[in-house]
Amino acid sequence: MTADALRAPQMTDAEIAELLALREGYHVTDAFLVRLATHFVQAEIDGVLNPARHLADYLGVQRQTVLTYMRMARRKGLVAKPRH
């Protein structure tokens, strides 16, 4: 794996399109949160330094919005809380 591979999540155009379709505009579905969290956590596992920024770019939203989505997913029990 090259250093470039660590800079962005390894997502296909189809996976990005799926996320966009699941979001349903401004309505955030549980299915969207699950898929987003899956990509976010996988990016962390893969060593991506700032997955929220990359996912925000893919979705056309602010980085903080992705972090809000992740908090929503955790509150709904759709993703485990991070262990520190």
Side-chain angles (χ1 to χ4, degrees):
M1 187 178 291
T2 67
D4 288 342
L6 297 179
R7 292 193 181 125
Q10 300 299 303
M11 293 176 64
T12 65
D13 289 342
E15 289 170 327
I16 295 166
E18 176 194 31
L19 269 177
L20 290 169
L22 287 172
R23 192 173 60 186
E24 296 181 4
Y26 291 105
H27 179 70
V28 179
T29 64
D30 285 355
F32 168 78
L33 293 174
V34 168
R35 294 300 295 150
L36 179 74
T38 299
H39 290 298
F40 191 99
V41 170
Q42 186 59 53
E44 289 180 323
I45 290 168
D46 291 344
V48 174
L49 298 178
N50 193 344
R53 180 176 60 86
H54 294 290
L55 289 166
D57 288 346
Y58 295 152
L59 295 172
V61 298
Q62 297 293 314
R63 178 182 168 274
Q64 190 58 43
T65 302
V66 171
L67 296 175
T68 297
Y69 291 154
M70 290 301 293
R71 276 193 305 278
M72 290 169 67
R74 287 185 192 102
R75 265 190 252 123
K76 289 180 172 232
L78 302 173
V79 64
K81 290 182 173 52
R83 295 182 204 171
H84 295 294

